Amino acid sequence: MADTFLLEVATPARLLIGEAVREVTIPGASGEVCILPGHAALLGAVGAGELRYTLETGEKNSMVVFGGWVEVNGDIVRVLAASAERLNEIDVARAEAAFQRASERVNGIGSGHVDLARALNAMKRAQARLAAARNGRD
């Protein structure tokens, strides 16, 4: 059995990674999914959160992904994300401001028309960005 597999993470706009990795942990819609070499075939929904992976060299990396699909087929794992960002692309101040705005919308439900689902989704995206950025800087 091989010690690595190919990890591809792509959005409609770009390919973020296409490299051999030892393992990957993906935020699934119902919780994290850890994939190691030899994993069974899988097709599942991707949630919002930090995608962590270990390169063939042992270097650990991560990025934040938002929605989409993951496919495990043989020695290839493909993540087709609705959107994704590398940690160095996350603007922490902007994510904090987005979280604050979304929190205010959620907490101010009684004051005018608020699209609760949209506000909660914005909070989730901002939280994912902030958590990934903080974990990557530790």
Side-chain angles (χ1 to χ4, degrees):
M1 177 167 57
D3 293 337
T4 63
F5 55 90
L6 176 64
L7 172 64
E8 294 178 342
V9 179
T11 68
R14 64 186 174 151
L15 176 68
L16 281 94
I17 181 174
E19 294 190 50
V21 300
R22 293 183 186 174
E23 66 179 296
V24 62
T25 302
I26 300 167
S30 300
E32 289 188 335
V33 177
C34 183
I35 299 170
L36 299 170
H39 196 286
L42 170 74
L43 181 62
V46 173
E50 186 176 6
L51 181 148
R52 299 179 305 278
Y53 58 95
T54 304
L55 293 171
E56 187 173 24
T57 62
E59 179 185 344
K60 295 182 182 292
N61 288 302
S62 62
M63 65 183 69
V64 64
V65 295
F66 306 102
W69 298 96
V70 59
E71 174 192 29
V72 179
N73 190 0
D75 62 351
I76 300 174
V77 175
R78 288 187 178 97
V79 177
L80 305 172
S83 65
E85 300 171 40
R86 294 183 179 97
L87 295 185
N88 64 355
E89 298 170 338
I90 297 172
D91 182 335
V92 174
R94 184 175 173 207
E96 288 172 343
F99 179 79
Q100 183 63 35
R101 282 191 310 274
S103 296
E104 289 169 2
R105 285 188 202 118
V106 169
N107 293 328
I109 291 173
S111 60
H113 177 71
V114 173
D115 184 340
L116 182 59
R118 186 173 173 186
L120 289 171
N121 190 35
M123 279 181 68
K124 192 176 202 179
R125 290 173 63 94
Q127 284 175 317
R129 281 187 178 99
L130 292 170
R134 289 181 181 131
N135 287 339
R137 292 185 175 99
D138 289 341

